[in-house]
């Protein structure tokens, strides 16, 4: 194995000596299994903008958010048992914006997070335009989730497995959406894949 | 000059034309002309009414017609000015009062002049009468309007209705035709003579024996030609023959006609002859009178209906016979009925004029009757009281609201298509042919060469209306009528001679001149006259709408003829004038137009550009572009892509497609969802869609800019791979990427408007909006849970989630028949629940609620429910090349194929979509879309003038991609490379409004019809799916008799009936006596129970009602 590139947002690995199906499983895990943070529940307190609540909520969900896999649990794995979540499985964002005399654009930077490490990857993602007198007030809850459930939880934008120059050589390229470093996405994918394989191993009566 | 000149530069002119005139100019011009001149003319036609009272009769004279501005008269009589948006929201009619000056004239002396309100005229949105006509963009937005709305439609009771253009045969034109019937050829010469109000068809037939017969509508039998000519007052046979033609060959052919007219040698005899046929058995004096009136009114009424017009008519008849005989001799060719020069299009103005004329006549008749009844009282007030404004108002409103124009004309108006912006524009440029759709009419449906630049070659529906419903091309301009006097004057100046002033030589060798169906006279050199006429027109001395056609016949013996057309409704198209091999349009003029210093009209005025109708185009030789211009050319095309209509103009690279595909796309584009109007938050349409994230296409046509489609887009740019995918995209299905869908691709909203108004009933009772309560004995109470979302005022809360059956407007109505209830019911009258509920198969969120008052003063609520539609399996999509398909599978991104760069397609279509359909345009769009994405700027794919594929290939190569658009792809499920490269690119996809959510339907148990007790039909009524004859045949053939019985009897309309075995008729169970009774056999009856279909029982009883006794013979089952 050889690391061809590791720039934080993107990682390229040359794999040799492993089966294509195993390498592809890693790629697929990067897309669908590795958890990342995204806004999931939105409580709209006020919305006099031109966008409907559901559209605004959808747009919020698409904002990539910096993810900390160490401190946060997947809601279904969290021990709080609370359907609303706890400080270990959700992060509250607040948005309170009012249109001044000119048409203004509310961006992801206007989202105020309760955890300063969990915040939008970019501050300049436009969320909504407000005309004078229009206002939006909402609470948004970000949670960890998996890409297989919804595209907003996909940690990476690009995940490819391509043939290398030689037979049996593959190149795995992963570009991150910004929530997690690309390397971590791959590592987590391998970890999760291993965990799943382990489960099978246990299920068929192998050693723990 | 290069291709670029034609492609990009002269485009500016056309762009300026459409920007300034707008898409609905033909409607607006037509309506404005009706308002400014038409109304007055119709009032002048009648001019006065005589009121015949016993003592002193008097007259009411009509003066000037004026119009107020659009307004509404509320129930309390207050008048307020309205805007279109208010009319739409409040279900009002956008109309203005018509005021007519009326003067009472007694014994020839005018006494009292008043302005009377005679009725309301529906106002065309954005016409001169409309409040919006001269508002700026900002002011329009202020008025709640879409600033890009083209106008051209009416608002009747809140509904937007368009009077579609009606294609018609040009009036007053002599068309000759040779009809082959059973080996023999008959020659006919026809004229549809039309004057305001009515038309009369004249037909001259050359019989097998060589005689000419004349057919006039008011005469039951055909008349010999010469007799008609004599009756018209031409005394000598020589003059009659010369009226036809002084040429010997023609006169020889007339011999038989003269022989046939021998029984009426004089004018008097001829009149008696005709009189005998139109007024048989009456006094001779009366017969002659009738004959004369037949000639004055029934024959060629367009030339006038008075005695002094008979000479003109005889000359016109002469020409009709002349053309007929010239055709017989083979000197001229038969006229082509489908030539677009022989067609005119009638728009709102002309249609309304017909309607208003009859309504106004009715009003005047009614007024006369009222005034005569009133008797001696007179004066302005009395006249005012005698006018029933409803006669005009109701007639106009009803006709526009229903499209019922009277005299069998139906479907004249249509509800404006607001599916998307493009469909609205296209609807406003639609033209309908009155030809019957049930007859084949093959030639009439065919595309004709003269359609070029006038009618879109692609945009027409498939099926019964194919070729009968057309759409105007972008370059089409509809002529407005030109006053004839000044043009006539110019002709005399140019050397034309009246018939009476033409000497024999001129009459033999000269060229005949016709102007709008009138035979004006002769000129020695027709070609020279036509040239001079055109010169004057280019100099601005003759209206640009006037056109001239010079016909030099195939045989020199026939007359050359000049036709000058000044009428409105002809389809013109702008062409660049070419003089001695050089187009007059130069780059300087173009840059002036693009810079806004001058307009296309200026170029017309200075003779650089000419408006040419289909007739005049016969005299032109048009070059396609500057590089094709030779000294032989008279004109050059402005922009070839303008030959398409609105819908076909959005297709990129249409010239690379098989032509039917462009037709399919033209139909489909009108079904695609998009951003139809920025007024969507308050749009009061019953059904409306909105695409959430619409995109301007990256592969564009110039027309998109022009029509401002970018501001009102109707699709999404998608990465499309051409690949089969596990069989889920066979038969035109498409695969969609689940992640793309989740990210919001092709998401749309569907809105449905529910409305309820409080009606007032006789006796002062009215509907009330309330939450119907369980306690107050309400008939039809639905149950508490259906009313749970209602607030105190009886209307649902904003943004509440509603499902099928939930009441959105709670309303109760008073009992229907008061007395009946009092008699039979102890509890007293019940109010009825007439609440408005969400449709059973729909759901959504309450989007907006409007509260207002209708014109009757009743309170009115409109509640709009929105429903988000995320693409799902079965939703229909289409590219811009007639490639439609439904989603076959939504695939998770990790399973989708990917390219080496990591691009995962949004859509995967099947390669089988291409070979047979040959939509090469889509391939080019795909490659161009990819190139556009790489270079970061859109690609111009305009028809005939788009950026070349070589250019696109260069971009792709520069980025290290295959110029063919093919790429290495990997299977997402296995990570394996596909054996072949895959064609991937960016294609603009449209979401069409056929969605599974609107169609999904199943039934287990449910409603049955009252009459037959069989399951109801249709999704809206929760109906069953028909198990039809063919399905029945299958079961019979298979021998599945139990299934057959189950479907057709047990689970359908199974019933038990009682049959008397003795008489075989139906018996019944008498509940009082607790026994089965047969009225016929009484005690002797033997009654058995039989299981039959209820429909069969119904049949028996229906037969009995027809005095047939259907007797059933029962036998025990063995």
């Amino acid at each position: 194995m050889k690391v061809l590139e590791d720039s934080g947002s993107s990682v390229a690995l040359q794999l040799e000596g492993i089966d294509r199906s195993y390498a592809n499983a890693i790629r697929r895990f990067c897309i669908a299994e590795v958890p990342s943070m995204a806004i999931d529940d939105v409580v709209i307190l006020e919305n006099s903008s031109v966008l409907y609540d559901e559209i605004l909520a959808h747009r919020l969900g698409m904002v990539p958010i910096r993810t900390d896999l160490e401190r946060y649990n997947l809601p279904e794995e969290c021990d709080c048992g609370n359907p609303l979540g706890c400080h270990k499985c959700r992060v509250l964002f607040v948005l309170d914006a009012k249109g001044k005399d000119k048409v203004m654009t509310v961006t992801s930077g206007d989202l105020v997070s309760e955890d300063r490490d969990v915040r939008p990857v970019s501050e300049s993602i436009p969320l909504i335009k407000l005309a004078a007198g229009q206002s939006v007030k909402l609470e948004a809850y970000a949670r960890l989730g998996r890409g297989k459930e919804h595209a907003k939880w996909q940690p990476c934008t690009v995940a490819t497995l391509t043939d290398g120059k030689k037979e049996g050589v593959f190149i795995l390229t992963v570009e991150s959406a910004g929530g997690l470093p690309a390397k971590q996405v791959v590592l987590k994918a391998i970890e999760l894949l291993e965990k799943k394989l382990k489960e099978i191993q246990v299920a068929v009566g192998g050693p723990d | 000059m290069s291709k670029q000149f034609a492609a990009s530069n002269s485009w500016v002119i056309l762009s300026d034309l459409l920007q300034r005139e707008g898409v609905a100019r033909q409607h607006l011009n037509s309506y404005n002309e009706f308002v400014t001149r038409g109304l007055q003319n119709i009032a002048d036609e009648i001019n006065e009414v005589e009121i015949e009272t016993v003592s002193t009769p008097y007259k009411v004279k009509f003066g000037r017609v004026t119009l107020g501005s659009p307004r509404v008269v509320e129930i309390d009589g207050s008048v307020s000015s309205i805007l279109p948006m208010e009319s739409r929201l409040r279900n009002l009619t956008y109309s203005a009062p018509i005021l007519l000056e009326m003067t009472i004239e007694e014994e020839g002396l005018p006494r009292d002049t008043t302005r009377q309100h005679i009725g309301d005229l529906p106002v065309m949105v954005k016409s001169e009468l409309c409040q919006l006509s001269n508002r700026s963009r900002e002011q329009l937005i202020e008025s709640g309007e879409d600033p890009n709305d083209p106008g051209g439609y009416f608002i009747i009771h809140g509904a937007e209705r368009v009077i579609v253009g009606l294609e018609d045969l040009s009036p007053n034109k002599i068309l000759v035709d040779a009809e082959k019937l059973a080996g023999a050829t008959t020659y006919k010469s026809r004229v549809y003579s039309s004057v305001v109000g009515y038309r009369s068809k004249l037909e001259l037939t050359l019989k097998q024996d060589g005689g000419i017969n004349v057919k006039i509508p008011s005469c039951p039998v055909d008349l010999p030609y010469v007799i008609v000519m004599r009756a018209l007052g031409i005394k000598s046979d020589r003059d009659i023959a010369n009226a036809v033609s002084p040429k010997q060959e023609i006169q020889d052919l007339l011999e038989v006609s003269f022989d046939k007219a021998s029984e009426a040698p004089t004018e008097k005899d001829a009149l008696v002859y005709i009189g005998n046929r139109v007024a048989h058995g009456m006094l001779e004096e009366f017969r002659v009178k009738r004959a004369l009136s037949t000639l004055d009114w029934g024959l060629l009424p367009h030339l006038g209906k008075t005695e002094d017009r008979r000479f003109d008519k005889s000359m016109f008849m002469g020409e009709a016979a002349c053309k007929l005989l010239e055709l017989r001799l083979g000197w001229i060719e038969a006229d082509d009925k489908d030539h677009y020069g022989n067609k005119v299009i009638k728009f709102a103005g002309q249609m309304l004029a017909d309607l208003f004329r009859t309504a106004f006549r009715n009003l005047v008749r009614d007024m006369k009757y009222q005034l005569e009844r009133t008797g001696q009282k007179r004066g302005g007030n009395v006249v005012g009281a005698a006018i029933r404004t409803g006669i005009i108002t109701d007639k106009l409103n009803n006709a526009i609201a229903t499209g019922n124009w009277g005299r069998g004309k139906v479907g004249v108006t249509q509800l404006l298509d607001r599916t998307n912006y493009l469909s609205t524009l296209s609807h406003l440029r639609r033209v309908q042919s009155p030809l019957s759709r049930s007859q084949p009419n093959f030639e009439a449906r065919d595309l004709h060469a003269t359609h070029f630049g006038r009618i879109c070659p692609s945009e027409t529906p498939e099926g019964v209306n194919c070729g009968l419903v057309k759409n105007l091309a972008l370059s089409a301009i509809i002529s407005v009528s030109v006053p004839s006097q000044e043009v006539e004057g110019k002709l005399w100046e140019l050397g034309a001679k009246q018939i009476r002033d033409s000497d024999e030589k001129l009459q033999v060798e000269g060229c005949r001149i016709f102007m709008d169906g009138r035979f004006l006279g002769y000129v020695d050199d027709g070609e020279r006259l036509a040239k001079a006429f055109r010169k004057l027109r280019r100099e601005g001395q003759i209206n640009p709408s006037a056109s001239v056609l010079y016909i030099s016949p195939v045989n020199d013996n026939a007359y050359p003829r000049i036709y000058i057309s000044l009428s409105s409704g002809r389809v013109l198209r702008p062409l660049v004038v070419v003089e001695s091999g050089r187009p007059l349009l130069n780059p300087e003029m173009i840059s002036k137009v693009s810079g806004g210093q001058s307009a296309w009209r200026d170029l017309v005025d200075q003779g650089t550009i000419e408006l040419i109708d289909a007739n005049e185009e016969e005299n032109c030789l048009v070059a396609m572009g500057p590089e094709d211009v030779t000294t032989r050319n008279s004109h050059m095309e402005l922009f070839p892509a303008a030959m398409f209509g609105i819908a076909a103009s959005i297709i990129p690279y249409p010239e690379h497609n098989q032509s039917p595909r462009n037709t399919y796309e033209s139909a489909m584009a009108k079904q695609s969802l998009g951003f139809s109007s920025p007024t969507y938050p308050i749009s009061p349409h019953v059904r409306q869609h909105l695409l959430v994230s619409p995109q301007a296409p990256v592969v564009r046509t110039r027309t998109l800019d022009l029509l401002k489609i970018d501001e009102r887009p109707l699709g999404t740019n998608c990465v499309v791979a051409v690949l089969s995918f596990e069989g889920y995209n066979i038969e035109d299905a498409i695969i969609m990427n689940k992640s793309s869908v989740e990210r919001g691709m092709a998401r749309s909203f569907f809105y449905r408007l529910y409305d309820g108004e409080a009606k007032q009933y006789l006796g002062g009772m009215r509907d009330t909006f309330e939450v119907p309560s369980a306690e107050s004995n309400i008939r039809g109470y639905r149950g508490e849970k259906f009313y749970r979302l209602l607030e105190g005022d009886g209307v649902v809360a904003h943004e509440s989630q509603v499902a099928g059956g939930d009441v959105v407007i709670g309303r109760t109505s008073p009992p229907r028949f008061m007395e009946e209830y009092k008699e039979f019911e102890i509890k007293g009258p019940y109010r009825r629940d007439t609440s408005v509920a969400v449709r059973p198969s729909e759901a959504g969120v309450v989007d907006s609620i409007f509260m207002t008052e209708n014109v009757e003063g009743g309170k009115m609520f409109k509640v709009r429910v929105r429903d988000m539609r995320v693409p799902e399996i079965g939703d229909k999509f289409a590219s811009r090349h007639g490639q439609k398909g439904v989603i076959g599978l939504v695939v998770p991104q990790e399973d989708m194929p990917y390219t080496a760069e990591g691009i995962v397609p949004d859509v995967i279509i099947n390669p089988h979509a291409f070979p047979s359909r040959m939509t090469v345009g889509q391939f080019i769009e795909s490659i161009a879309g990819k190139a556009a994405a790489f270079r970061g700027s859109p690609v111009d794919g305009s028809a005939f003038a788009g950026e070349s594929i070589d250019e696109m290939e260069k971009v792709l190569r520069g980025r290290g991609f295959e110029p063919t658009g093919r790429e290495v792809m990997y299977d997402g499920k296995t990570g394996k490379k596909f054996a072949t490269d895959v064609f991937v690119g960016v294609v603009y996809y449209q979401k069409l409004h056929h969605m599974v959510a609107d169609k999904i339907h199943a039934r287990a148990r449910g409603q049955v019809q009252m009459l037959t007790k069989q399951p109801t039909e249709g999704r809206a009524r929760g109906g069953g799916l028909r198990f039809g004859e063919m399905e029945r045949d299958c079961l019979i053939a298979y021998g599945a008799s139990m299934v057959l019985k189950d479907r057709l009897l047990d689970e359908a309309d199974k019933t038990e009936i009682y049959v008397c075995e003795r008489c075989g008729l139906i018996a019944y169970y008498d509940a009082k006596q607790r026994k089965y009774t047969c009225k016929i056999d009484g005690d002797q009856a033997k009654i058995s129970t039989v299981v039959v279909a209820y429909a069969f029982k119904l049949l028996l009883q229906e037969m009995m009602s027809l005095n047939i006794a259907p007797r059933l013979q029962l036998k025990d089952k063995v």
Side-chain angles (χ1 to χ4, degrees), chain B residues 854-873:
Chain B
N854 62 15
V855 79
E856 279 110 38
K859 197 176 183 182
M860 183 165 74
F861 281 105
K862 289 189 176 183
V863 173
R864 198 169 71 159
V865 175
R866 71 165 184 264
D867 181 22
M868 187 161 69
R869 299 281 172 83
V870 178
E872 57 180 321
I873 291 178

Side-chain angles (χ1 to χ4, degrees), chain A residues 28 52 54 58 151 154 161, chain B residues 739 742 751 866 895 898 972:
Chain A
R28 291 165 59 86
Y52 300 130
E54 52 267 47
H58 177 247
Q154 282 179 12
L161 181 74
Chain B
S739 293
E742 284 168 356
Y751 303 92
R866 71 165 184 264
D895 291 349
Y898 56 90

Side-chain angles (χ1 to χ4, degrees), chain A residues 20-21 24 27-28 31-32 50 52-55 58 62 148-151 154 157-158 160-163, chain B residues 680 692 738-739 742-744 747 749 751 847 866 893-895 898-899 902 970 972-976:
Chain A
R20 186 197 294 273
S21 53
N24 191 43
R27 180 191 77 88
R28 291 165 59 86
I31 299 170
V50 290
Y52 300 130
D53 295 356
E54 52 267 47
I55 295 296
H58 177 247
M62 301 317 293
K148 65 180 176 187
E149 194 181 332
H150 193 281
Q154 282 179 12
T157 53
V158 168
T160 60
L161 181 74
T162 52
D163 289 359
Chain B
Y680 76 88
V692 176
K738 180 162 168 273
S739 293
E742 284 168 356
R743 289 178 192 125
R747 211 165 263 217
F749 279 105
Y751 303 92
D847 181 70
R866 71 165 184 264
Q893 188 185 322
E894 63 269 23
D895 291 349
Y898 56 90
T899 69
Y970 294 86
K973 288 188 170 169
T974 61
K976 272 189 199 147

Side-chain angles (χ1 to χ4, degrees), chain B residues 35 52 172 185 269 330 340 426 541 750 804 986 1014 1027 1046:
Chain B
V35 169
E52 288 147 17
N172 315 333
T185 316
D269 295 336
Y340 228 68
S426 166
Q541 297 192 47
F750 168 67
V986 176
Q1014 288 171 356
F1027 190 85
D1046 177 75

